[in-house]
mmCIF file of all heavy atoms in Angstrom:
data_model
loop_
_atom_site.group_PDB
_atom_site.id
_atom_site.type_symbol
_atom_site.label_atom_id
_atom_site.label_comp_id
_atom_site.label_asym_id
_atom_site.label_seq_id
_atom_site.Cartn_x
_atom_site.Cartn_y
_atom_site.Cartn_z
ATOM 1 N N SER B 311 93.825 96.073 126.913
ATOM 2 C CA SER B 311 93.495 95.511 128.217
ATOM 3 C C SER B 311 94.448 96.021 129.308
ATOM 4 O O SER B 311 94.001 96.348 130.421
ATOM 5 C CB SER B 311 93.464 93.978 128.169
ATOM 6 O OG SER B 311 94.531 93.504 127.419
ATOM 7 N N ASP B 312 95.756 96.129 129.011
ATOM 8 C CA ASP B 312 96.650 96.520 130.087
ATOM 9 C C ASP B 312 97.540 97.740 129.761
ATOM 10 O O ASP B 312 98.510 97.994 130.444
ATOM 11 C CB ASP B 312 97.542 95.330 130.488
ATOM 12 C CG ASP B 312 98.176 94.680 129.274
ATOM 13 O OD1 ASP B 312 97.869 95.118 128.145
ATOM 14 O OD2 ASP B 312 98.975 93.756 129.443
ATOM 15 N N TYR B 313 97.237 98.430 128.680
ATOM 16 C CA TYR B 313 97.961 99.684 128.379
ATOM 17 C C TYR B 313 97.115 100.507 127.399
ATOM 18 O O TYR B 313 96.048 100.047 126.952
ATOM 19 C CB TYR B 313 99.336 99.386 127.774
ATOM 20 C CG TYR B 313 99.325 98.730 126.385
ATOM 21 C CD1 TYR B 313 99.461 99.503 125.256
ATOM 22 C CD2 TYR B 313 99.181 97.355 126.241
ATOM 23 C CE1 TYR B 313 99.441 98.914 123.984
ATOM 24 C CE2 TYR B 313 99.162 96.763 124.997
ATOM 25 C CZ TYR B 313 99.293 97.553 123.865
ATOM 26 O OH TYR B 313 99.263 96.973 122.632
ATOM 27 N N TRP B 314 97.577 101.709 127.105
ATOM 28 C CA TRP B 314 96.927 102.523 126.069
ATOM 29 C C TRP B 314 97.796 102.466 124.813
ATOM 30 O O TRP B 314 99.006 102.679 124.884
ATOM 31 C CB TRP B 314 96.821 103.984 126.512
ATOM 32 C CG TRP B 314 95.880 104.223 127.639
ATOM 33 C CD1 TRP B 314 96.236 104.371 128.944
ATOM 34 C CD2 TRP B 314 94.465 104.321 127.564
ATOM 35 N NE1 TRP B 314 95.101 104.565 129.719
ATOM 36 C CE2 TRP B 314 93.998 104.539 128.887
ATOM 37 C CE3 TRP B 314 93.523 104.261 126.539
ATOM 38 C CZ2 TRP B 314 92.644 104.680 129.189
ATOM 39 C CZ3 TRP B 314 92.177 104.417 126.850
ATOM 40 C CH2 TRP B 314 91.752 104.612 128.157
ATOM 41 N N GLN B 315 97.174 102.156 123.683
ATOM 42 C CA GLN B 315 97.915 102.297 122.429
ATOM 43 C C GLN B 315 97.685 103.739 121.995
ATOM 44 O O GLN B 315 96.525 104.186 121.861
ATOM 45 C CB GLN B 315 97.367 101.327 121.396
ATOM 46 C CG GLN B 315 98.192 101.340 120.124
ATOM 47 C CD GLN B 315 97.681 100.303 119.133
ATOM 48 O OE1 GLN B 315 97.182 99.238 119.541
ATOM 49 N NE2 GLN B 315 97.777 100.607 117.862
ATOM 50 N N ALA B 316 98.759 104.462 121.815
ATOM 51 C CA ALA B 316 98.617 105.894 121.529
ATOM 52 C C ALA B 316 99.297 106.256 120.217
ATOM 53 O O ALA B 316 100.226 105.580 119.776
ATOM 54 C CB ALA B 316 99.236 106.691 122.682
ATOM 55 N N GLY B 317 98.793 107.315 119.610
ATOM 56 C CA GLY B 317 99.398 107.784 118.361
ATOM 57 C C GLY B 317 99.325 109.288 118.308
ATOM 58 O O GLY B 317 98.419 109.910 118.860
ATOM 59 N N LEU B 318 100.296 109.861 117.640
ATOM 60 C CA LEU B 318 100.266 111.306 117.398
ATOM 61 C C LEU B 318 100.268 111.491 115.887
ATOM 62 O O LEU B 318 101.235 111.123 115.197
ATOM 63 C CB LEU B 318 101.498 111.987 118.035
ATOM 64 C CG LEU B 318 101.469 113.502 117.960
ATOM 65 C CD1 LEU B 318 100.356 114.082 118.829
ATOM 66 C CD2 LEU B 318 102.804 114.097 118.399
ATOM 67 N N VAL B 319 99.169 112.048 115.382
ATOM 68 C CA VAL B 319 99.053 112.294 113.933
ATOM 69 C C VAL B 319 99.540 113.706 113.682
ATOM 70 O O VAL B 319 99.120 114.639 114.365
ATOM 71 C CB VAL B 319 97.571 112.163 113.475
ATOM 72 C CG1 VAL B 319 97.457 112.351 111.976
ATOM 73 C CG2 VAL B 319 97.003 110.814 113.909
ATOM 74 N N PHE B 320 100.431 113.851 112.705
ATOM 75 C CA PHE B 320 100.979 115.190 112.422
ATOM 76 C C PHE B 320 101.105 115.340 110.892
ATOM 77 O O PHE B 320 101.088 114.352 110.157
ATOM 78 C CB PHE B 320 102.327 115.367 113.130
ATOM 79 C CG PHE B 320 103.347 114.319 112.753
ATOM 80 C CD1 PHE B 320 104.251 114.549 111.726
ATOM 81 C CD2 PHE B 320 103.377 113.106 113.408
ATOM 82 C CE1 PHE B 320 105.184 113.590 111.374
ATOM 83 C CE2 PHE B 320 104.301 112.137 113.054
ATOM 84 C CZ PHE B 320 105.191 112.359 112.040
ATOM 85 N N PRO B 321 101.227 116.586 110.417
ATOM 86 C CA PRO B 321 101.278 116.800 108.966
ATOM 87 C C PRO B 321 102.487 116.121 108.344
ATOM 88 O O PRO B 321 103.588 116.129 108.924
ATOM 89 C CB PRO B 321 101.372 118.318 108.815
ATOM 90 C CG PRO B 321 100.848 118.862 110.096
ATOM 91 C CD PRO B 321 101.196 117.868 111.174
ATOM 92 N N LYS B 322 102.290 115.493 107.200
ATOM 93 C CA LYS B 322 103.389 114.842 106.492
ATOM 94 C C LYS B 322 104.512 115.830 106.272
ATOM 95 O O LYS B 322 104.269 117.014 106.032
ATOM 96 C CB LYS B 322 102.873 114.298 105.147
ATOM 97 C CG LYS B 322 103.671 113.126 104.655
ATOM 98 C CD LYS B 322 103.054 112.493 103.449
ATOM 99 C CE LYS B 322 102.739 111.039 103.558
ATOM 100 N NZ LYS B 322 103.469 110.173 104.414
ATOM 101 N N GLY B 323 105.727 115.352 106.423
ATOM 102 C CA GLY B 323 106.875 116.224 106.176
ATOM 103 C C GLY B 323 107.417 116.823 107.479
ATOM 104 O O GLY B 323 108.471 117.458 107.459
ATOM 105 N N GLN B 324 106.697 116.632 108.605
ATOM 106 C CA GLN B 324 107.188 117.274 109.849
ATOM 107 C C GLN B 324 107.943 116.319 110.765
ATOM 108 O O GLN B 324 108.273 116.657 111.888
ATOM 109 C CB GLN B 324 105.984 117.825 110.628
ATOM 110 C CG GLN B 324 105.486 119.137 110.090
ATOM 111 C CD GLN B 324 104.480 119.786 111.020
ATOM 112 O OE1 GLN B 324 104.237 119.345 112.139
ATOM 113 N NE2 GLN B 324 103.880 120.859 110.529
#
Side-chain angles (χ1 to χ4, degrees):
S311 42
D312 50 356
Y313 67 96
W314 293 100
Q315 186 176 328
L318 187 67
V319 182
F320 57 94
K322 207 172 235 332
Q324 281 190 8

